[in-house]
Every structure is written in C-alpha cells, then in structure tokens.
Amino acid sequence: MPRDVSAKSEVLVTFLEPDKIDSVKLRQLIDRLETIEGIQKGFEEVNSRQSRPVEDFALEMQQKYGISG
C-alpha cells in the first residue's frame, strides 16, 4: 500500500488480494481518481458561482510575484 493514501482510497484495495497489488499502478490510479475529484469540485464551484473571474486571479498573481501584465 502506498504511503499517504486517503481513507477514501483505502476502500479500493479492501477487496484485493495483497500479494496481487502493484503499488505503482495503485498509486497511479489513486492519483488519477483524486485528480478527477478535484476537477469535479472545480466544476461544482463554477456552476454554483463560488469562483472568481480569471482576470482577478491573474491580477493577484501579477502583484504577488511582481509579474508585469
């Protein structure tokens, strides 16, 4: 079992035989699922208007890191 695996991800391996688990592939699958979950949350925020305009974000990053626009 890879380290730093969330409780949600542990459910995935509960029904697998321990000697047949490829930890590299399992980590890749977990990373992929976590990425999908993050994208879904982002869409939910946009759809519920909890996000901010990209222009505001860009301006904040320009000011924070001294980037000229």
Side-chain angles (χ1 to χ4, degrees):
M1 202 51 190
R3 286 177 233 182
D4 75 322
V5 173
S6 71
K8 288 181 184 178
S9 301
E10 286 183 37
V11 173
L12 290 173
V13 297
T14 301
F15 300 103
L16 299 176
E17 296 177 40
D19 58 331
K20 293 185 179 181
I21 295 174
D22 181 335
S23 63
V24 173
K25 287 183 180 180
L26 178 61
R27 178 78 254 169
Q28 290 171 344
L29 174 61
I30 291 168
D31 288 344
R32 191 171 294 148
L33 292 171
E34 289 173 345
T35 299
I36 291 168
E37 180 183 27
I39 292 168
Q40 288 174 332
K41 285 181 182 179
F43 280 133
E44 289 170 7
E45 289 176 4
V46 169
N47 290 334
S48 65
R49 304 206 186 278
Q50 295 177 358
S51 61
R52 60 185 170 150
V54 70
E55 294 84 7
D56 293 352
F57 172 79
L59 181 60
E60 180 183 327
M61 292 299 108
Q62 288 172 350
Q63 292 171 346
K64 183 175 181 177
Y65 294 107
I67 302 169
S68 61

